[in-house]
Amino acid sequence: MSDASSASMRAPEATDDRLLDGRVLLRQPASGYRVAIDPVLLAAAVPAHAGETVLDLGCGAGAAALCLLTRVAGVRVTGLELQPELAALARQNAAANGREDTFRVVEGDLLNPPSEVGLTGFDHVMANPPFLPADAGSPPPDAGRAGAQVEGRAALRDWVETGLGFLRARGRLTMIHRADRLESLLGALDARAGDIAVLPLWPAEGRPARRVIVSARKAVAGPTRLLPGLVLHAPEGGITSDADGILRYGRALPLEARGGDMAT
């Protein structure tokens, strides 16, 4: 087999994909961690408005940031990403989607954020941290997948503390995480944030939630609210109309909503 033939059979380093019914172009690694629905749901839950600023901690290739910018005009997003190759892809994606002026990507570590991130005082911080603690077992062999799924030096509490640190007073932190780590997430927020809303994401009716979205406001007192949640898949197959409105049409996922108003 010739060298040219061998090269043509190798998988590309990155693929060009689309989110929100094609309105978001996303170039992402061809292997390892691949964007699914989590960043789309995260972006839908951020209650940002025109003129506000958002910090996307661990922005990856930019999926959540670009979905948010597509849904809400006039928002400005800064992405902080540790992995150089993902930061480069995020910048490419910002350009491909015409968002160079509203999506700025900074390469760096959230444990020691570079000054380029800017001063504290963001209106919103959003994050889709690695779901598994560092001692959860053997990490995936692919470095990209391991970095996305298993905590490194930064544990969940570090993600929360850094996010809250970058917020202005009364600003809002929104995170998506595994349901079985909800206790740890709420513990990290204790005494530092309030008006906490917890929204379970049900795979289907009658199935335990695997994911939760948690939203909290910095330096605000208030009770924790457990919301009815969002059912993702219908009994007859496919996704529910509420989930379809979010994942395909870019509707908001307001955490103060109830029942059938979930995705209006």
Side-chain angles (χ1 to χ4, degrees), residues 37-47 64 71 125-129 131 172-182 185-186 189 195-202 209-216 224-232 243 246-247 251-256 262:
I37 65 174
D38 287 354
V40 184
L41 293 169
L42 172 64
V46 177
R71 179 172 64 83
V125 173
M126 62 179 177
N128 180 15
F131 288 157
R172 187 171 289 277
L173 172 67
T174 305
M175 304 180 76
I176 188 168
H177 217 288
R178 277 175 42 142
D180 61 5
R181 298 200 68 193
L182 177 60
L185 180 50
L186 294 178
L189 290 168
D195 187 22
I196 299 172
V198 179
L199 187 141
L201 297 169
W202 314 110
R210 298 176 183 172
R211 300 281 190 271
V212 290
I213 295 178
V214 176
S215 177
T224 298
R225 296 172 289 122
L226 180 60
L227 302 181
L230 175 69
V231 178
L232 298 174
I246 295 165
L247 299 174
R251 294 175 184 166
L253 179 56
L255 298 191
E256 69 275 10
M262 186 63 65

Side-chain angles (χ1 to χ4, degrees), residues 44-157:
V46 177
H49 299 282
E52 293 187 328
T53 58
V54 181
L55 174 62
D56 186 359
L57 282 181
C59 69
L66 293 169
C67 286
L68 177 61
L69 288 166
T70 300
R71 179 172 64 83
V72 185
V75 171
R76 302 182 70 85
V77 179
T78 297
L80 177 62
E81 174 52 46
L82 177 64
Q83 299 183 56
E85 62 276 13
L86 290 181
L89 284 175
R91 294 187 185 99
Q92 292 178 30
N93 287 326
N97 287 274
R99 304 291 186 184
E100 304 99 318
D101 295 335
T102 54
F103 180 27
R104 183 173 62 98
V105 181
V106 178
E107 182 184 324
D109 190 341
L110 66 85
L111 292 177
N112 185 25
S115 59
E116 291 88 342
V117 174
L119 300 175
T120 59
F122 286 89
D123 298 296
H124 301 272
V125 173
M126 62 179 177
N128 180 15
F131 288 157
L132 299 175
D135 59 358
S138 299
D142 180 87
R145 184 180 293 273
Q149 294 182 348
V150 182
E151 293 171 354
R153 292 191 306 116
L156 177 56
R157 183 172 291 273

Side-chain angles (χ1 to χ4, degrees), residues 11-17 26-36 59-63 81 83-90 92-93 142-148:
E13 295 183 359
T15 63
D16 294 318
D17 303 294
L26 187 75
R27 188 163 179 81
Q28 61 176 327
S31 61
Y33 173 74
R34 301 272 298 169
V35 166
C59 69
E81 174 52 46
Q83 299 183 56
E85 62 276 13
L86 290 181
L89 284 175
Q92 292 178 30
N93 287 326
D142 180 87
R145 184 180 293 273

